[in-house]
Amino acid sequence: DFLAYWSASRLLAQGENPYDPDALATLQQAARPQRYQEQGVVLPTWNPPWLLILFLPLGLLPFSIATGVWIACNVILGGISAALAWGQVVRPYDERSFLFVLFASLVLPSFLVTVAIGQVTALVLIGMLASVVLIQSSRDWLAGAAILLCGIKPHLCFLFLALLAIWMLRTRRWKVAGGLAVSLLSSLILVTIFYPAWVFAYRDLLSHMPVADIDTSTLGSFIQQIFDFPYFRWTGVLLLPLLIPLTRLVTKNHWLTALNLSTMLTLPFAPYGFGVDHVLLLPAMVEITGWLKLKAKLPWQTALVMSAPILVNLGWLFGMPKNVPNHTLFWIPLAVLVIYALVWRLTHR
């Protein structure tokens, strides 16, 4: 996947159309000739254009070097995300226990796949967590800028974005909206400077996006594959009434819980998304571990709690069969939601 982001950002850096299939094919074939010969398809970048602005420095590097840099960036983003989530649930900060949480996070199967294929979902993850932390520390302008990262894949966090919009309207924290507007406008101005006709090029790309034909890790895709009924891909709109209880959680300053609930509900009901996007479940797993850590009193109980997510992740990593159809993975966020609810009841009763 990184090949798509690198080639598009490289074209943009050269002042060319980052969505031109012929130009992308030339770059991708030169960078990875074996992959191109085996698959024979061009990898476009479907994400909004501000992603390409973030990738411009990588686009200036040779592909082999840029790949190593992005692998390191993904690992750092995963570690920071785990640290931000841990700091939200365990106070005062427990550095020793966090080392176990960090290791468990970095061996999360979806995170390892994210690193292996060069995906960008970790940017969405850090955007969600950073916006929550910055809002709580009243750094509203920076919080708004962090929200733009969520817009890299808005279909995976639409419930959280809607929650933020309602919260801003109710609290009148207009500086958050201002930070988002400034960062969005700045990125679009930069894209326009590099390639003025990007609006029309991106519109043409999206008009050919085969959403209904992609086998994804969502309930709608599962139903389509089994019953040949494609309309369930859009059932995520039925989640909007849940914004009422989620807003109450935010009002009580339970930001991380609201974020995790919105994510676990959004992923299986998104219009599309893949198993690699389940890396967004990382904060929920950190919060579950934190709850159990706070509940455990004896040293052996703490050790058991901290080692459990590591054992589960390693077991899943080595026990999961390879090349399973994407639509068979829709249940994972729902299973995490059930575990999340059970642990919450155990630790909060």
Side-chain angles (χ1 to χ4, degrees), residues 173-186:
R173 296 273 288 272
W174 305 124
K175 289 182 181 179
V176 177
L180 173 60
V182 169
S183 57
L184 174 61
L185 184 61
S186 300

Side-chain angles (χ1 to χ4, degrees), residues 117-133:
I117 68 175
Q119 251 294 336
V120 295
T121 312
L123 287 171
V124 181
L125 175 64
I126 196 71
M128 295 169 70
L129 286 165
S131 63
V132 165
V133 172

Side-chain angles (χ1 to χ4, degrees), residues 73-95:
C73 288
N74 255 332
V75 173
I76 292 171
L77 289 172
I80 294 175
S81 298
L84 292 177
W86 187 248
Q88 287 285 299
V89 64
V90 176
R91 299 174 182 174
Y93 207 95
D94 188 337
E95 292 85 356

Side-chain angles (χ1 to χ4, degrees), residues 106-271:
L106 296 182
V107 299
L108 187 70
S110 56
F111 178 75
L112 291 176
V113 175
T114 293
V115 174
I117 68 175
Q119 251 294 336
V120 295
T121 312
L123 287 171
V124 181
L125 175 64
I126 196 71
M128 295 169 70
L129 286 165
S131 63
V132 165
V133 172
L134 291 168
I135 283 172
Q136 291 177 301
S137 60
S138 298
R139 301 177 187 177
D140 290 1
W141 288 98
L142 290 176
I147 293 172
L148 185 64
L149 295 176
C150 303
I152 291 173
K153 291 190 174 186
H155 56 285
L156 299 179
C157 52
F158 63 85
L159 199 60
F160 177 67
L161 291 174
L163 177 63
L164 285 174
I166 293 174
W167 171 82
M168 281 188 283
L169 289 172
R170 293 187 62 177
T171 60
R172 300 186 179 183
R173 296 273 288 272
W174 305 124
K175 289 182 181 179
V176 177
L180 173 60
V182 169
S183 57
L184 174 61
L185 184 61
S186 300
S187 64
L188 296 182
I189 289 175
L190 286 174
V191 175
T192 304
I193 291 173
F194 281 99
Y195 185 72
W198 70 266
V199 175
F200 306 103
Y202 189 53
R203 180 198 62 189
D204 293 340
L205 175 69
L206 292 184
S207 66
H208 295 91
M209 187 176 183
V211 177
D213 300 325
I214 303 175
D215 181 27
T216 67
S217 306
T218 62
L219 178 61
S221 185
F222 176 80
I223 293 176
Q224 181 176 352
Q225 293 293 329
I226 302 300
F227 302 105
D228 194 25
F229 192 72
Y231 302 106
F232 269 84
R233 287 180 178 265
W234 312 105
T235 53
V237 68
L238 300 178
L239 298 176
L240 293 180
L242 296 176
L243 289 170
I244 297 174
L246 290 175
T247 302
R248 293 172 182 163
L249 284 173
V250 168
T251 302
K252 297 177 181 179
N253 204 35
H254 298 315
W255 273 101
L256 184 63
T257 302
L259 183 156
N260 286 330
L261 286 173
S262 66
T263 301
M264 289 182 286
L265 290 165
T266 299
L267 287 175
F269 294 100

